[in-house]
Amino acid sequence: LANPNWRAAMAVEYQALLDNITWRLVPRPPGANIVTGKWLFKHKYHADKSLARHKARWVVRGFSQQHGVDYDETFSPVVKPATIRTVLSIAASCSWPIHQLDVKNAFLHGDLETVYAHQPSGFVDPSTPDYVCLLQKSLYGLKQAPRAWHQRFATYVCKHGFTAAKSDASLFIFKDGVEMAYLLLYVDNIILTASSSDLLRRIIAHLSSEF
């Protein structure tokens, strides 16, 4: 906290959590399981190995969750390597543009069941220091976080013209007349290819507006 670089990185992360309405503060329910958390710190580097930025992330300790209390199903699919190779082969043979995307704070977009967590250390609300966070969105470290994010993303893209492939739950296909696009999802990383640059830009704009 005394280092201005790390303090600023923590403030950015905390503001992102607030902007995403990740939780609301509530009185601690009697007998409730309160998930603990911690700060993780990492240096992010440019391709030439020079320092890009200080990255701080508030995560919860999934091992402090209790099955049947604050989590149930946890399985989340990731795209298969064979699917990636197939889609890239199609894009290369058709000379389609390919774009790689990364969703910032992806897990914060996932919806989940009732989970209580401690307030982030260093950012405890002085007016309600004894309150706990009733999570409205998923956090990194939660056992069900990847599943919640995948379901949230899949629901959104399928409402906007994509169809989930039967062979791979992380491949989404868009087809509208002669226009076509393939979207591959690997946790918070996306590979997108489309039959035209204009369609590619439109899809990216839609994704950016939501995530």
Side-chain angles (χ1 to χ4, degrees):
L1 289 173
N3 184 302
N5 291 320
W6 289 120
R7 178 69 189 186
M10 295 164 73
V12 169
E13 169 75 355
Y14 182 70
Q15 190 59 48
L17 295 171
L18 296 182
D19 291 344
N20 280 284
I21 315 176
T22 311
W23 62 68
R24 59 185 176 90
L25 294 178
V26 298
R28 180 170 182 155
N33 181 49
I34 312 299
V35 182
T36 58
K38 66 177 180 180
W39 285 101
L40 295 182
F41 303 97
K42 185 177 182 180
H43 288 119
K44 305 289 283 189
Y45 295 96
H46 293 295
D48 61 1
K49 303 302 181 182
S50 61
L51 181 63
R53 63 190 176 97
H54 292 71
K55 171 67 177 176
R57 173 167 283 161
W58 176 251
V59 304
V60 293
R61 297 181 171 102
F63 62 80
S64 62
Q65 291 182 257
Q66 296 178 3
H67 183 262
V69 175
D70 46 27
Y71 81 94
D72 188 14
E73 297 294 331
T74 60
F75 174 77
S76 177
V78 293
V79 68
K80 302 171 185 175
T83 306
I84 298 174
R85 290 194 293 269
T86 302
V87 169
L88 293 180
S89 296
I90 293 172
S93 63
C94 297
S95 298
W96 287 2
I98 303 172
H99 201 83
Q100 184 175 357
L101 306 166
D102 178 80
V103 183
K104 189 175 183 180
N105 294 313
F107 285 6
L108 302 189
H109 296 286
D111 301 314
L112 71 163
E113 51 273 297
T114 302
V115 180
Y116 296 97
H118 288 284
Q119 296 186 51
S121 54
F123 294 86
V124 175
D125 189 327
S127 63
T128 53
D130 297 327
Y131 277 33
V132 295
C133 300
L134 172 57
L135 299 188
Q136 309 293 298
K137 300 292 182 181
S138 188
L139 274 175
Y140 285 85
L142 285 177
K143 291 180 180 293
Q144 66 270 46
R147 180 183 181 87
W149 155 243
H150 188 280
Q151 291 179 330
R152 171 81 169 79
F153 183 86
T155 299
Y156 177 79
V157 295
C158 288
K159 283 183 179 179
H160 289 79
F162 281 87
T163 302
K166 294 182 179 179
S167 60
D168 193 323
S170 293
L171 167 62
F172 301 91
I173 303 169
F174 176 88
K175 188 173 178 60
D176 183 16
V178 297
E179 292 189 318
M180 193 166 187
Y182 293 104
L183 187 153
L184 303 168
L185 179 67
Y186 189 94
V187 190
D188 57 356
N189 290 284
I190 296 170
I191 293 176
L192 177 64
T193 183
S195 54
S196 70
S197 296
D198 180 62
L199 176 59
L200 190 80
R201 286 191 294 268
R202 295 203 313 267
I203 294 173
I204 292 174
H206 277 299
L207 294 175
S208 297
S209 66
E210 182 71 10
F211 304 113

